[in-house]
């Protein structure tokens, strides 16, 4: 157990509404990541953080923003959700040279 | 961006058989990671490889870091039904700000009793 939790675990929302997903870690690790997983695409990096208030874009960052005001929390926000953002979202932390994943959030945008 | 080619895409095997899967890339990585994912869960780290040529085992699993640093292999010996899942490789490179992983698209393993 890598000490990562995600909330909510499931969410259904409507197109155009804002959505915030939370990742919480108890490991005090510096690096945190948000990925999305879609059939046939594996895991794709959305945004990552290398410290409090320090974030950067991944390969599929359009339509997403993040914030990290505390070491333990990394928030992913969809300002105006679209159906193409229906996916499973995973948070991850980096401990040494190894990356550990949370249990995921299944988001459905209707 | 960096691309990983993972193969095969899926495998259907009999219990007791050995399994091999691999990932190749046009880019060099500092670290190779292998994960297993079961339905409804996040990927779980199986093996981490840190040096070119390194061969590492974890029970019935053996993985190798290719000497060119552009590929990696995972073998599962004497498969059992609980080996079923999706196996992902990931190449990790440390860039300016943080370690960033590139993932393969996964190998779906089905084991028939």
């Amino acid at each position: 157990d890598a000490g990562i939790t995600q909330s909510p675990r499931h969410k259904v929302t409507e197109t155009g509404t804002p959505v915030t997903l939370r990742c919480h870690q108890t490991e005090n690790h510096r690096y945190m990541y948000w990925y999305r997983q879609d059939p046939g695409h594996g895991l794709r990096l959305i945004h990552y953080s290398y410290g409090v208030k320090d974030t950067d874009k991944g390969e599929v960052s359009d339509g997403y923003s993040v914030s990290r005001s505390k070491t333990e929390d990394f928030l992913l926000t969809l300002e105006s959700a679209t159906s193409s953002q229906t996916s499973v979202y995973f948070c991850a932390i980096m401990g040494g040279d190894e990356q550990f994943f949370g249990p995921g959030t299944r988001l459905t945008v209707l | 961006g960096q691309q990983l080619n993972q193969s095969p895409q899926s495998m259907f095997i009999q219990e007791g058989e050995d399994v091999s899967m691999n990932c190749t890339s046009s880019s060099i990585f500092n670290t190779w990671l292998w994960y297993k994912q079961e339905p409804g869960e996040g990927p779980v780290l199986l093996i981490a490889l840190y040096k070119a040529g390194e061969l590492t085992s974890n029970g019935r699993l053996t993985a190798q870091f290719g000497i060119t640093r552009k590929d990696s292999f995972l073998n599962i010996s004497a498969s059992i039904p609980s080996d079923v899942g999706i196996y992902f490789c990931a190449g990790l490179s440390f860039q300016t700000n943080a370690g960033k992983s590139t993932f393969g698209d996964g190998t779906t393993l089905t084991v028939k009793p």
Side-chain angles (χ1 to χ4, degrees), chain A residues 23 25 30-33 48-49 68 71-72 74 91-93:
Chain A
C23 177
Q25 62 147 329
R30 178 181 175 190
Y31 303 118
M32 299 184 74
Y33 306 79
Y48 65 99
S49 170
R68 189 156 178 214
T71 298
E72 56 266 36
F74 192 31
C91 175
I93 60 175

Side-chain angles (χ1 to χ4, degrees), chain A residues 23-25 27-34 48-56 65-76 91-94, chain B residues 98:
Chain A
C23 177
H24 179 78
Q25 62 147 329
E27 308 297 315
N28 201 36
H29 286 309
R30 178 181 175 190
Y31 303 118
M32 299 184 74
Y33 306 79
W34 275 107
Y48 65 99
S49 170
Y50 46 98
V52 173
K53 299 192 190 313
D54 292 323
T55 65
D56 205 349
S65 62
V66 290
S67 65
R68 189 156 178 214
S69 58
K70 298 185 290 184
T71 298
E72 56 266 36
D73 290 326
F74 192 31
L75 304 181
L76 177 71
C91 175
I93 60 175
M94 183 78 73

Side-chain angles (χ1 to χ4, degrees), chain B residues 71-93:
Chain B
D71 57 4
S72 181
F73 306 86
L74 176 69
N75 295 318
I76 305 173
S77 62
S79 59
I80 58 179
S82 63
D83 289 334
V84 165
I86 305 176
Y87 292 79
F88 290 98
C89 63
L92 180 63
S93 59

Side-chain angles (χ1 to χ4, degrees), chain B:
Chain B
Q2 296 169 317
Q3 299 284 337
L4 282 188
N5 296 309
Q6 184 172 351
S7 64
Q9 188 174 32
S10 61
M11 301 182 75
F12 295 83
I13 62 170
Q14 289 290 139
E15 183 177 0
E17 291 183 354
D18 296 342
V19 173
S20 292
M21 59 191 77
N22 69 85
C23 279
T24 60
S25 173
S26 58
S27 304
I28 290 174
F29 291 105
N30 302 113
T31 300
W32 281 94
L33 305 171
W34 283 94
Y35 293 87
K36 179 187 178 186
Q37 186 178 27
E38 298 187 16
E41 298 182 6
V44 174
L45 184 65
L46 298 173
I47 292 180
L49 301 158
Y50 304 107
K51 295 191 296 188
E54 178 181 357
L55 187 71
T56 297
S57 293
N58 178 7
R60 293 179 295 105
L61 278 60
T62 301
Q64 184 162 24
F65 193 142
I67 57 174
T68 66
R69 307 177 71 93
K70 295 181 179 181
D71 57 4
S72 181
F73 306 86
L74 176 69
N75 295 318
I76 305 173
S77 62
S79 59
I80 58 179
S82 63
D83 289 334
V84 165
I86 305 176
Y87 292 79
F88 290 98
C89 63
L92 180 63
S93 59
F94 278 90
Q95 300 174 13
T96 306
N97 294 326
K100 295 173 67 174
S101 295
T102 301
F103 281 80
D105 288 340
T107 296
T108 300
L109 179 62
T110 302
V111 180
K112 292 181 262 187

